[in-house]
């Protein structure tokens, strides 16, 4: 397993639409292993492949709390096949937008169809944190970040600050 670099916004590679995966094979499982390790290390609870610069429809997730046994989940080519009519607000964060948290409104529950780690077709009814997280990660596959759900003003403020921090970091390394 290898730790990968997580892309930080603003980065054009985060806006790329991810392609469906043709086959769940050892190469893809190796990518998922790297993603899980990278996400745990960050630490985070969800990561889309595009966040490490691989524009494939692959998501890893682990919602286990600190001190609990890990509960890795893998979603390949996920699609939402049902969503609830009621919405929930939840404060979201993202490994590609470090240190920013904002409320986002999304359907409270969704049903997702996807391929798992072994390439088997599965369906999952997602509620609460799982529903928030899968919708957030599936947005990444469309090149959408959680700040894209906010007002333009808020989004620009956050992206400007991140951009400034990146330039500062680059200058310090130079
Ligand atoms: Ni994210």
């Amino acid at each position: 397993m290898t730790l990968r670099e997580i892309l930080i916004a603003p980065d054009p590679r985060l806006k790329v639409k991810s392609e469906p995966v043709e086959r769940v094979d050892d190469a893809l499982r190796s990518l998922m292993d790297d993603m899980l390790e990278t996400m745990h290390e960050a630490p985070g609870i969800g990561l889309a492949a595009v966040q490490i610069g691989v524009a494939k429809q692959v998501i890893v997730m682990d919602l286990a709390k600190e001190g609990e046994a890990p509960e890795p989940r893998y979603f390949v080519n996920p699609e939402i096949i049902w969503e609830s009519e009621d919405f929930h607000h939840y404060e979201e964060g993202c490994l590609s937008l470090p240190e920013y948290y904002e409320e986002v409104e999304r359907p409270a529950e969704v049903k997702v169809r996807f391929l798992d780690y072994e390439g088997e077709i599965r369906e999952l009814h997602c509620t609460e944190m799982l529903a928030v997280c899968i919708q957030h990660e599936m947005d990444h596959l469309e090149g959408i970040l959680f700040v894209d759900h906010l007002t333009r003003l808020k989004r620009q403020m956050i992206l400007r600050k991140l951009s400034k921090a990146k330039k500062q970091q680059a200058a310090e390394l130079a």
Side-chain angles (χ1 to χ4, degrees), residues 78-83 109-113 134-135 138:
E79 45 176 331
I80 288 178
I81 53 175
W82 173 85
E83 57 186 40
E109 300 182 14
V110 293
K111 205 170 186 180
V112 184
R113 182 181 294 146
I134 191 68
Q135 291 179 84
M138 284 183 70

Side-chain angles (χ1 to χ4, degrees), residues 3 8 14 34 37 39 43 49 60 62-64 66 69 72-73 90 101 133 142 152-153 156 173-174:
L3 283 181
I8 306 296
L14 288 169
D34 284 359
E37 195 190 12
M39 181 192 79
V60 299
D62 189 341
L63 301 180
E66 231 185 297
R73 296 173 184 270
Y90 198 86
Y101 300 88
C133 201
E142 299 295 319
R152 202 174 77 155
L153 198 71
Q156 284 179 339
L173 290 174

